[in-house]
Amino acid sequence: MTPYQLIQKLRIEREELAQIKIGFAGRLDPLAQGVMLLMIGDATKNRKDYLNLDKEYEFEVTFGVSTDTYDQLGFLKNKLVKKLPDNLEEKIEKFVNSKTGKQMQQYPPFSSIEIKGKPLFQWSRENRLSEIQIPSRTIEIYNFELDNVKIIPPSEIQKTLITNVASVDGDFRQMETLEKWSLFFESNKIEYLSVATFNINCSSGTYVRSLANELGEILGCGAIALSILRTRVGKYSLRDSMRL
């Protein structure tokens, strides 16, 4: 759900909030889940205090594929699964250990930052990225850990992918994306795909799907964020959150 959908659902579930001003701080990617800060009444006046809080995420990355959005919602860049490198887990660990600290991160091509009055994702959709320079920003990764690497049958990933992509509201090229993924799974007769799970504590503005893409480029096989769960924003954790 978008922040606006969350607010509408909250108004329905809590009738006493129906006429009270409600705002939000920060967004999530269309396929991401987790903690979203909603401010009620006078708290909306302090929105800026909540915008740059540190974040924690748990996210999954699958290897051998890449997309233009760095996650499931994008167009595939390869028709066939790419071969994974030897010693995959060791190389993932090396990447994780190299990423802590302050660094520059380029905005993903499909993001909402505006360039020359137009969202970056619109430049991407129009195939006009060559006309602009994609900006970067300083981020900081405080802690980054590889939890595990496992193998999952493609059928399981396909089932989850179809459900997730179809559930997204708005114009995100869903039908075309699902068609391309369907062809991909038909073309690749493989027994499993490798999936790694990570935990990260980072500054506001960090794109974990960009980390997934960067890891895939370093490994030479491609990678996308398969799932993203935001478990904490500042002092506000998932376990203390109201579920909508």
Side-chain angles (χ1 to χ4, degrees):
M1 291 184 284
T2 67
Y4 298 106
Q5 290 171 324
L6 278 174
I7 290 171
Q8 289 304 112
K9 190 168 184 181
L10 179 61
R11 292 188 190 279
I12 292 171
E13 294 196 7
R14 301 282 293 272
E15 293 183 4
E16 68 272 21
L17 300 177
Q19 303 302 319
I20 297 177
K21 186 175 182 179
I22 302 176
F24 65 92
R27 294 176 177 271
L28 282 164
D29 286 342
L31 289 179
Q33 304 179 71
V35 180
M36 172 71 68
L37 299 188
L38 299 183
M39 298 153 294
I40 298 171
D42 289 341
T44 57
K45 298 176 182 178
N46 303 319
R47 181 173 181 267
K48 63 181 181 180
D49 295 335
Y50 302 104
L51 288 176
N52 297 310
L53 298 175
D54 295 339
K55 312 290 195 302
E56 285 185 1
Y57 296 92
E58 177 183 300
F59 66 105
E60 293 180 314
V61 173
T62 189
F63 302 93
V65 295
S66 57
T67 69
D68 58 2
T69 61
Y70 306 163
D71 63 8
Q72 304 172 56
L73 200 52
F75 286 179
L76 285 154
K77 294 182 179 180
N78 51 300
K79 295 181 179 179
L80 299 176
V81 174
K82 292 186 177 180
K83 186 179 184 300
L84 274 56
D86 296 332
N87 304 317
L88 177 64
E89 191 165 340
E90 179 182 323
K91 291 179 179 178
I92 294 174
E93 285 279 13
K94 184 178 180 181
F95 172 80
V96 167
N97 294 335
S98 72
K99 295 305 291 183
T100 53
K102 288 187 177 182
Q103 57 206 272
M104 297 298 293
Q105 185 183 60
Q106 190 179 66
Y107 283 88
F110 281 81
S111 53
S112 58
I113 184 174
E114 289 197 358
I115 301 175
K116 296 182 180 180
K118 185 161 58 177
L120 181 53
F121 67 79
Q122 196 63 43
W123 290 97
S124 298
R125 286 189 178 189
E126 296 172 2
N127 294 316
R128 296 176 60 193
L129 289 179
S130 61
E131 300 176 27
I132 60 172
Q133 183 172 351
I134 299 178
S136 300
R137 66 180 299 173
T138 302
I139 63 166
E140 185 168 4
I141 296 176
Y142 311 112
N143 188 54
F144 194 9
E145 295 178 353
L146 171 65
D147 189 14
N148 62 67
V149 179
K150 57 189 175 183
I151 57 175
I152 296 180
S155 58
E156 184 177 327
I157 292 180
Q158 184 177 16
K159 182 179 178 181
T160 302
L161 185 148
I162 290 171
T163 301
N164 290 345
V165 173
S167 71
V168 176
D169 284 338
D171 179 16
F172 289 94
R173 310 175 301 174
Q174 292 94 319
M175 293 306 298
E176 293 173 275
T177 295
L178 288 173
E179 289 174 4
K180 292 178 185 297
W181 276 109
S182 179
L183 290 172
F184 173 82
F185 284 110
E186 288 177 9
S187 303
N188 288 273
K189 306 303 181 183
I190 50 176
E191 295 182 3
Y192 64 84
L193 289 169
S194 293
V195 176
T197 302
F198 301 88
N199 293 288
I200 191 169
N201 178 9
C202 54
S203 64
S204 178
T206 303
Y207 282 91
V208 295
R209 57 188 164 101
S210 289
L211 291 173
N213 181 72
E214 183 181 352
L215 173 57
E217 289 182 345
I218 288 174
L219 295 176
C221 61
I224 62 169
L226 191 62
S227 69
I228 300 174
L229 176 66
R230 191 158 69 191
T231 56
R232 186 177 64 82
V233 177
K235 65 179 182 180
Y236 307 98
S237 69
L238 186 64
R239 64 178 176 272
D240 299 323
S241 299
M242 177 183 180
R243 283 168 168 75
L244 291 174

